[in-house]
Amino acid sequence: MKFVKVLSIILGILMIASGLYCLTVPALTFLGIGGYVVGAAMLLDAISRIHAWWQYRKSGDADGWMLAGGILSCIFGLVLIVDAAAQLSVDVFIAYMVGIWILIRACITIIRAFRARKFHKTFETNFIGKNWWIRALIGVLMCVFAVLSLMNPSMIMAAIGTFIGLGIIVAGCETITIALTPKDAY
């Protein structure tokens, strides 16, 4: 049991060090992970589809489309994991999609702020629409960030890479905390 605790502490320290490295090069972190994650997801999809096809085949309910989908997912997943150009294409696509998503969320935030203002004026509430301008300001700032990100996708890549680094640091701290927590504390 002591070996497991020591190993967990070492792994936690390595995770924290990896997270700090990710924070120093966040855009490269995103570029290094994005395509692999999508490729791995495609491979998992391929495995599940081929397994399902195999199970349905035993009962006579299998169709070729499920198997074809599994094979295509496997091929595309392997291409994404192996080919750097395909990874970069997916990474840039993800960055643009996140930028568009932030822009849409910003517009919704601004619309909701003005609806809260109208509600506040109509019903003279003190709770809902009193600080509508803060929502509107956040929406405008989100809009600015989204437009800048769409003009330069590396901003989104750096932001996502930063969040990945922070997540790894938090996971490392949690691993160390769990290793140092006495057994009877559970």
Side-chain angles (χ1 to χ4, degrees):
M1 192 60 145
K2 189 174 182 167
F3 173 75
V4 173
K5 282 189 174 195
V6 171
L7 184 62
S8 293
I9 291 170
I10 291 170
L11 288 175
I13 291 170
L14 289 174
M15 289 172 73
I16 292 171
S18 299
L20 291 172
Y21 175 75
C22 290
L23 290 178
T24 61
V25 287
L28 291 178
T29 298
F30 173 77
L31 289 173
I33 292 177
Y36 286 117
V37 170
V38 174
M42 287 179 157
L43 284 177
L44 291 174
D45 176 65
I47 291 168
S48 68
R49 286 179 183 273
I50 292 170
H51 180 264
W53 175 82
W54 188 261
Q55 294 299 322
Y56 287 140
R57 189 179 73 95
K58 289 179 183 176
S59 65
D61 294 328
D63 64 348
W65 290 109
M66 185 178 290
L67 179 62
I71 292 170
L72 285 175
S73 287
C74 184
I75 292 169
F76 292 150
L78 288 173
V79 166
L80 270 179
I81 288 174
V82 174
D83 187 21
Q87 288 177 10
L88 181 62
S89 299
V90 168
D91 291 339
V92 171
F93 178 76
I94 291 170
Y96 277 116
M97 289 299 101
V98 170
I100 291 169
W101 175 68
I102 291 172
L103 184 61
I104 291 168
R105 291 294 303 149
C107 293
I108 291 170
T109 301
I110 293 169
I111 291 168
R112 292 191 71 216
F114 282 103
R115 291 180 109 194
R117 177 179 177 249
K118 181 180 175 184
F119 184 82
H120 174 65
K121 280 187 170 183
T122 305
F123 296 105
E124 297 180 13
T125 62
N126 287 329
F127 178 69
I128 294 182
K130 186 176 183 181
N131 297 323
W132 65 272
W133 61 273
I134 295 173
R135 280 190 195 173
L137 179 63
I138 290 171
V140 168
L141 291 174
M142 285 173 63
C143 251
V144 169
F145 179 74
V147 169
L148 291 174
S149 297
L150 290 171
M151 292 189 314
N152 183 7
S154 63
M155 286 178 62
I156 289 286
M157 293 176 187
I160 293 173
T162 300
F163 285 121
I164 291 170
L166 291 173
I168 293 171
I169 290 171
V170 168
C173 291
E174 183 180 28
T175 301
I176 293 171
T177 303
I178 290 171
L180 295 176
T181 303
K183 185 178 177 183
D184 58 345
Y186 299 120

